[in-house]
Amino acid sequence: MLILPTRRQVLGGFGASALTLGSGGAYAFVVEPRFRLALTRYGLTPPGWDPTHRLRIAVLADIHVCEPYMPLDRVAEIVAATNALAPDLILLLGDYPAGRKVTWHRVPLPDFARLAADLRAPLGTYAILGNHDWWDDREAMRAGKGPVEIRRLLEARGIPVLENDTVRLVHDGRPFWIAGLADQEPFLPIGSRRSLADLPGTLAKVTDAAPVILMAHEPDIFVGVPARVSLTLSGHTHGGQIRLFGYSPVLPSRYGQRFAYGHVVEEGRHLIVSGGLGVSSVGIRFGVPPEIVLIELGEDAPAS
């Protein structure tokens, strides 16, 4: 069984690693993005969730498969580590291919999908798409419509991809909903900025009072998420890829630090933003190591 360090252990050790290398730059460009793998746990009972219903959710965001930062052996390591956590449910939050700026050698998406199919959880694995999943498919971008390549590949491997859609699951006799939004930043057609996400239309597919867990690649939509949603899960920001003393200098969010990373609570509504696993724009991570997120819902869950 692969043992993952906790995020606290990783952050506690990164300074020593940097000193050993003799250069924080070497650590940030080589060690943290390529070889660190943290486990970040959140324990909570969000509004609308039955406190006696304990559920373990593993969340993987922003994998950005490419060489040298996320080759297939690294993906296999992440899959094995996720399975070792014995989650009840696995959620994938989008951005499976990497951008051209960090891709030295492209990793074929069919090979990535083959490894993703090895993820194991009793309630299954569900996915949404991110902006890079559209940008990587030039044909879909030109046509202004999907399905994009990675959706076809994941679904062929038995992983449903939710784009403005929902699924009702039952665990220990208690029902709940997984809702997945389409991407908010696909730039369709090329050169424009048109969101595909339909939050009201998606939630309209929820047909009973069971709690809702919302998957939304970009966290900015959280400002409009109603209290009906128990928990929103997002990625996209990578925690800024550089994060010092709780601050990220550059973030792909119009709200700045507000939704940069971690557990955000606003007006009783809960959002968890994953720091993700891969890199984008520049091959660097410092203070925000690649992470698998484990969310434990229900009473007696460990503190976040």
Side-chain angles (χ1 to χ4, degrees), residues 58-120:
V59 178
L60 305 180
D62 301 286
I63 296 172
H64 288 301
V65 62
C66 71
E67 292 183 357
Y69 296 103
M70 187 62 68
L72 290 174
D73 61 343
R74 174 72 158 170
V75 175
E77 174 192 3
I78 291 166
V79 168
T82 302
N83 289 342
L85 297 172
D88 300 305
L89 174 67
I90 299 173
L91 300 179
L92 308 180
L93 298 186
D95 273 9
Y96 309 103
R100 290 167 175 80
K101 292 181 180 179
V102 297
T103 300
W104 297 12
H105 299 286
R106 182 179 171 85
V107 172
L109 288 180
D111 293 340
F112 164 75
R114 173 177 52 81
L115 293 178
D118 290 334
L119 290 165
R120 294 287 180 265

Side-chain angles (χ1 to χ4, degrees), residues 49 53-57 88-89 123 171-172 176 178 213 295-298:
W49 191 265
H53 182 194
R54 300 199 64 184
L55 183 74
R56 290 166 60 88
I57 306 172
D88 300 305
L89 174 67
L123 294 177
H171 176 254
D172 287 346
F176 66 98
I178 297 296
I213 297 173
I295 300 170
E296 298 173 286
L297 302 179

Side-chain angles (χ1 to χ4, degrees), residues 41-304:
R41 295 175 181 263
Y42 297 94
L44 66 154
T45 303
W49 191 265
D50 182 348
T52 67
H53 182 194
R54 300 199 64 184
L55 183 74
R56 290 166 60 88
I57 306 172
V59 178
L60 305 180
D62 301 286
I63 296 172
H64 288 301
V65 62
C66 71
E67 292 183 357
Y69 296 103
M70 187 62 68
L72 290 174
D73 61 343
R74 174 72 158 170
V75 175
E77 174 192 3
I78 291 166
V79 168
T82 302
N83 289 342
L85 297 172
D88 300 305
L89 174 67
I90 299 173
L91 300 179
L92 308 180
L93 298 186
D95 273 9
Y96 309 103
R100 290 167 175 80
K101 292 181 180 179
V102 297
T103 300
W104 297 12
H105 299 286
R106 182 179 171 85
V107 172
L109 288 180
D111 293 340
F112 164 75
R114 173 177 52 81
L115 293 178
D118 290 334
L119 290 165
R120 294 287 180 265
L123 294 177
T125 301
Y126 293 86
I128 58 172
L129 301 178
N131 50 304
H132 280 273
D133 302 313
W134 282 92
W135 298 350
D136 188 71
D137 190 331
R138 304 299 290 179
E139 183 175 334
M141 290 288 286
R142 283 191 294 269
K145 62 181 181 179
V148 296
E149 180 188 11
I150 189 60
R151 174 172 182 168
R152 297 193 301 269
L153 292 170
L154 289 174
E155 291 189 330
R157 291 286 183 173
I159 299 176
V161 177
L162 304 178
E163 290 189 274
N164 298 326
D165 209 350
T166 62
V167 61
R168 188 178 187 269
L169 301 177
V170 179
H171 176 254
D172 287 346
R174 268 74 63 95
F176 66 98
W177 293 84
I178 297 296
L181 290 184
D183 187 64
Q184 301 161 55
E185 297 185 355
F187 300 96
L188 293 175
I190 294 175
S192 71
R193 188 182 184 93
R194 177 167 65 89
S195 173
L196 299 178
D198 181 1
L199 179 59
T202 301
L203 295 181
K205 298 179 180 181
V206 174
T207 58
D208 60 27
V212 177
I213 297 173
L214 175 67
M215 304 163 67
H217 179 69
E218 296 91 351
D220 285 7
I221 203 167
F222 185 64
V223 297
V225 172
R228 173 67 181 87
V229 174
S230 293
L231 177 63
T232 301
L233 303 176
S234 295
H236 184 62
T237 67
H238 301 195
Q241 290 189 196
I242 299 173
R243 190 165 179 83
L244 298 172
F245 308 109
Y247 177 81
S248 303
V250 178
L251 285 164
S253 169
R254 59 184 178 273
Y255 296 102
Q257 303 298 314
R258 183 175 172 184
F259 305 136
Y261 174 78
H263 188 186
V264 178
V265 181
E266 292 187 355
E267 300 176 346
R269 300 172 304 121
H270 289 251
L271 165 70
I272 292 176
V273 182
S274 170
L277 290 154
V279 294
S280 179
S281 297
V282 62
I284 184 173
R285 276 183 178 264
F286 192 85
V288 56
E291 67 177 12
I292 296 171
V293 171
L294 182 66
I295 300 170
E296 298 173 286
L297 302 179
E299 67 180 0
D300 300 324
S304 60

